[in-house]
């Protein structure tokens, strides 16, 4: 009798844990669906996604500057006080500039991204030809793709700044959302299988 009560209590505890895990994975799946929808909307309206991301970036810089200034004030009297004040002031000023001139900030970031793609593609191609690694074909293909992407973005700059940043962020949201959906769905299935295997077997009377 006592053994049956202990088994029932343990089964109830496992069931509660499985329910909490199932609920957590369900929330993870829901978050993934929202990110996927946000990514699709961003890909459809890339200009709006670029402007929104720039404004959000500016506000994050502004808030970071305020928080950094408060931390620097708390650390006054130390050798890091003035460094903290300078960094906070730079963040605050950059945040104001990005918020007031989001299109100019997007153009600057697009130029930086194009140069980054060009340099990454160049070094990949040169490094692949010099090192001659086993995955030389993939390295050369990625390097050529980076170069082509950098040339396309830079060739249509500054008009490309209206959609490049928004497209990149929307793609990141889309793939992150798909990953969360896959993780949540797989986790729910695993929890369900474990819960079914952990069900107490009925004890047949002797």
């Amino acid at each position: 009798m006592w053994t049956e009560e202990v088994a029932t209590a343990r089964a109830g505890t496992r069931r509660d844990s499985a329910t909490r895990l199932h609920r957590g994975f369900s929330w993870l799946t829901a978050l993934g669906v929202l990110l996927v929808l946000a990514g699709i909307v961003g890909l459809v309206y890339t200009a709006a996604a670029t402007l929104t991301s720039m404004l959000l970036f500016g506000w994050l810089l502004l808030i970071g500057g305020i928080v950094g200034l408060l931390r620097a004030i708390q650390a006054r009297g130390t050798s890091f006080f003035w460094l903290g004040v300078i960094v906070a002031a730079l963040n605050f000023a950059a945040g104001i500039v990005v918020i007031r001139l989001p299109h100019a900030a997007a153009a600057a970031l697009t130029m930086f991204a194009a140069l980054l793609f060009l340099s990454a593609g160049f070094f990949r191609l040169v490094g692949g030809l010099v090192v001659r690694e086993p995955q030389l074909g993939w390295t050369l293909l990625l390097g050529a793709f980076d170069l082509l992407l950098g040339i396309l973005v830079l060739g249509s700059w500054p008009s490309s700044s209206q959609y490049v940043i928004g497209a990149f962020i929307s793609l990141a949201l889309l793939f992150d959302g798909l990953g969360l959906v896959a993780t949540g769905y797989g986790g729910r299935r695993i929890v369900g299988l474990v819960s079914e295997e952990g069900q107490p077997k009925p004890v047949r009377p002797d």
Side-chain angles (χ1 to χ4, degrees), residues 73-97:
I73 293 174
Q74 291 177 352
R76 60 183 179 275
T78 64
S79 57
F80 299 100
F81 171 71
W82 288 110
L83 178 62
V85 170
I86 293 174
V87 172
L90 289 176
N91 286 335
F92 191 84
I96 292 178
V97 171

Side-chain angles (χ1 to χ4, degrees), residues 11-187:
T13 303
R14 285 195 297 266
R15 195 180 304 111
D16 292 339
S17 300
T19 302
R20 287 194 295 269
L21 285 174
H22 194 277
R23 188 181 298 114
F25 282 118
S26 298
W27 281 109
L28 197 65
T29 304
L31 178 60
V33 171
L34 289 177
L35 290 181
V36 168
L37 292 176
I40 294 174
V41 172
L43 289 175
V44 174
Y45 303 100
T46 51
T50 299
L51 181 60
T52 302
S53 60
M54 287 296 98
L55 292 176
L56 180 61
F57 180 57
W59 279 107
L60 288 176
L61 286 174
L62 193 64
I63 295 173
I66 295 174
V67 173
L69 183 60
L70 293 177
R71 282 190 169 184
I73 293 174
Q74 291 177 352
R76 60 183 179 275
T78 64
S79 57
F80 299 100
F81 171 71
W82 288 110
L83 178 62
V85 170
I86 293 174
V87 172
L90 289 176
N91 286 335
F92 191 84
I96 292 178
V97 171
V98 172
I99 292 173
R100 290 178 61 87
L101 302 171
H103 296 289
L109 285 179
T110 302
M111 171 69 76
F112 177 76
L115 296 177
L116 190 64
F117 281 125
L118 288 174
S119 60
F122 175 77
F123 283 112
R124 266 184 180 157
L125 289 175
V126 173
L129 293 175
V130 171
V131 177
R132 297 283 181 174
E133 56 185 6
Q135 293 82 18
L136 177 61
W138 282 109
T139 302
L140 295 180
L141 182 62
L142 290 175
F145 178 76
D146 287 340
L147 275 178
L148 179 61
L149 189 59
I151 292 172
L152 289 176
V153 173
L154 195 60
S156 58
W157 189 86
S159 61
S160 60
S161 62
Q162 298 179 5
Y163 59 85
V164 168
I165 303 299
F168 286 166
I169 293 178
S170 299
L171 286 174
L173 290 175
L174 180 62
F175 287 115
D176 286 344
L178 290 175
L180 289 179
V181 170
T183 302
Y185 180 73

